[in-house]
């Protein structure tokens, strides 16, 4: 997690947690501004509000792009990045989620 925070600090990294009361507002602001978002301590059931973000359901109208989060359309900045972190040793997300994400295992093992 420290590596991600250091790497994305120059892109205005915003850190939030799944289920946080202002999580959707954080996403709306970060997507519009092109900032990176780190969602810490992800559990296996992923919030439905994240589905259009993960699947990149971008709506193109003329020259502008937007993404629908809940009932609100937010202007989409292509510099936006999403990083999800979990402490689960062997997470099992739905196949649609796994197909649209890159899963990196940072588990340290002794040899």
């Amino acid at each position: 997690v420290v590596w991600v925070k250091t790497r994305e600090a120059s892109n205005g990294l915003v850190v939030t947690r799944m289920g946080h009361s202002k999580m959707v507002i954080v996403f709306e602001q970060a997507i519009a501004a092109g900032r990176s978002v780190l969602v810490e301590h992800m559990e296996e059931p992923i919030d439905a509000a994240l589905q259009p973000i993960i699947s990149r359901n971008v709506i193109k109208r003329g020259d502008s792009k937007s993404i629908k989060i809940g009932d609100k359309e937010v202007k989409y900045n292509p510099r936006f990045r999403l990083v999800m972190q979990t402490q689960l040793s062997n997470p099992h997300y739905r196949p649609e989620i796994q197909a649209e994400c890159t899963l990196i295992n940072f588990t340290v093992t002794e040899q």
Side-chain angles (χ1 to χ4, degrees):
V1 176
V2 174
W3 174 78
V4 172
K5 288 180 180 180
T6 304
R7 183 174 184 270
E8 293 296 327
S10 62
N11 197 21
L13 179 69
V14 180
V15 181
T16 189
R17 288 182 180 234
M18 196 62 156
H20 188 266
S21 61
K22 296 185 180 181
M23 184 182 74
V24 175
I25 296 169
V26 167
F27 274 104
E28 290 172 357
Q29 293 172 347
I31 290 170
R35 292 191 202 111
S36 299
V37 175
L38 170 63
V39 182
E40 293 183 319
H41 305 291
M42 293 283 296
E43 296 297 325
E44 285 188 4
I46 294 179
D47 193 340
L50 287 180
Q51 186 59 41
I53 299 167
I54 293 171
S55 60
R56 297 179 194 98
N57 289 339
V58 178
I59 304 162
K60 189 172 181 182
R61 289 198 181 105
D63 292 343
S64 67
K65 294 180 180 179
S66 61
I67 192 164
K68 192 165 184 159
I69 302 174
D71 58 349
K72 194 180 212 181
E73 277 192 23
V74 178
K75 188 171 180 178
Y76 180 79
N77 187 322
R79 292 180 52 216
F80 169 75
R81 295 197 186 281
L82 173 63
V83 179
M84 300 180 291
Q85 179 263 332
T86 183
Q87 291 183 335
L88 300 174
S89 59
N90 191 16
H92 293 284
Y93 296 113
R94 293 191 333 247
E96 308 87 57
I97 300 294
Q98 289 190 1
E100 295 164 343
C101 297
T102 302
L103 189 64
I104 303 171
N105 187 346
F106 285 105
T107 305
V108 178
T109 56
E110 289 187 42
Q111 289 188 352

